[in-house]
Amino acid sequence: GESVGLHLPTLSVQEGDNSIINCAYSNSASDYFIWYKQESGKGPQFIIDIRSNMDKRQGQRVTVLLNKTVKHLSLQIAATQPGDSAVYFCAEGLAGTYKYIFGTGTRLKVLA
Amino acid sequence: NAGVTQTPKFQVLKTGQSMTLQCAQDMNHEYMSWYRQDPGMGLRLIHYSVGAGITDQGEVPNGYNVSRSTTEDFPLRLLSAAPSQTSVYFCASRGLSNTGELFFGEGSRLTVL
């Protein structure tokens, strides 16, 4: 909901520009990573995931980069659109378990 | 395609009252889970289940009970609500063979006075 996002870091980008959202993950043993998008008042929606044996994966207008050396994950959104305005957060998981660690999120604001 | 359905969307309780948040999924997912979302914090796992009759605790289980009598349903019970349980609750599911994508419901906003 809206109140959840009040204290989040915010990234403001012009419509049409590329966006880069960053995430530091916590467990060096995590072997898969996921990006979610959450619009105001809605549940999180899956965007893209990546396994630890990869360092880059591309989807439609999105690219996820994984740097295991510094435990860093990034989400790149090409040609950002107003509909991309939302809170984005990463999650890390370990295969064989059923638990995920979720980041706190970044609010993306797209300026017209 | 309904996906994950949560009810109610909003609820106000008084301290000490009990209630159940309902969650149903129509994707035949073995794994179902409940999270709470609070300002400034990531989603935190309350309880989860990997199949009918099987439940386990997550990160913040105290004050909550769950059961899994069918594949489709995974209700979350608050036996004696406390103001600290004011939060937005999300139910999520996935197939056991899929390590990544969780399908989330739309959330249930609970306020405990």
Side-chain angles (χ1 to χ4, degrees):
Chain A
E2 187 63 42
S3 64
V4 173
L6 281 178
H7 305 289
L8 295 176
T10 298
L11 174 66
S12 297
V13 298
Q14 286 295 134
E15 182 178 355
D17 286 352
N18 296 335
S19 303
I20 299 176
I21 301 170
N22 297 305
C23 174
Y25 66 91
S26 60
N27 186 356
S28 57
S30 293
D31 54 13
Y32 62 96
F33 307 87
I34 313 151
W35 279 100
Y36 285 92
K37 172 186 180 182
Q38 187 175 21
E39 296 174 322
S40 181
K42 295 190 175 182
Q45 288 179 284
F46 173 89
I47 302 172
I48 191 168
D49 61 358
I50 187 169
R51 301 300 299 258
S52 60
N53 60 355
M54 304 171 69
D55 49 27
K56 181 179 180 179
R57 190 172 186 210
Q58 289 184 292
Q60 187 178 9
R61 276 201 312 120
V62 294
T63 300
V64 56
L65 299 178
L66 174 63
N67 185 332
K68 294 182 286 294
T69 302
V70 294
K71 295 194 290 184
H72 183 267
L73 196 64
S74 69
L75 177 71
Q76 301 178 3
I77 304 173
T80 311
Q81 302 168 359
D84 294 328
S85 292
V87 173
Y88 291 80
F89 54 88
C90 64
E92 56 186 294
L94 187 60
T97 73
Y98 302 102
K99 301 179 181 180
Y100 301 76
I101 302 172
F102 287 87
T104 54
T106 297
R107 177 177 297 282
L108 177 65
K109 285 189 176 179
V110 181
L111 309 172
Chain B
N1 192 0
V4 179
T5 302
Q6 290 182 235
T7 56
K9 290 190 184 302
F10 301 95
Q11 182 72 50
V12 179
L13 291 177
K14 294 180 180 178
T15 297
Q17 287 185 317
S18 62
M19 77 155 301
T20 299
L21 298 177
Q22 302 290 346
C23 176
Q25 53 90 11
D26 61 0
M27 298 172 280
N28 203 30
H29 284 165
E30 299 95 336
Y31 176 86
M32 296 185 73
S33 55
W34 278 101
Y35 289 86
R36 59 178 290 172
Q37 187 174 45
D38 300 294
M41 304 183 77
L43 290 164
R44 291 184 292 166
L45 180 65
I46 304 171
H47 286 285
Y48 67 98
S49 167
V50 297
I54 305 168
T55 63
D56 206 347
Q57 295 182 349
E59 182 185 354
V60 287
N62 293 339
Y64 308 94
N65 281 349
V66 291
S67 60
R68 185 93 179 270
S69 56
T70 67
T71 300
E72 294 79 18
D73 300 297
F74 191 45
L76 178 72
R77 298 184 188 84
L78 286 73
L79 297 180
S80 179
S84 61
Q85 293 178 304
T86 293
S87 188
V88 181
Y89 291 86
F90 289 98
C91 179
S93 72
R94 69 167 169 85
L96 283 184
S97 61
N98 181 348
T99 54
E101 182 175 0
L102 278 175
F103 293 82
F104 284 86
E106 294 284 90
S108 298
R109 181 179 292 275
L110 175 66
T111 302
V112 183
L113 303 175

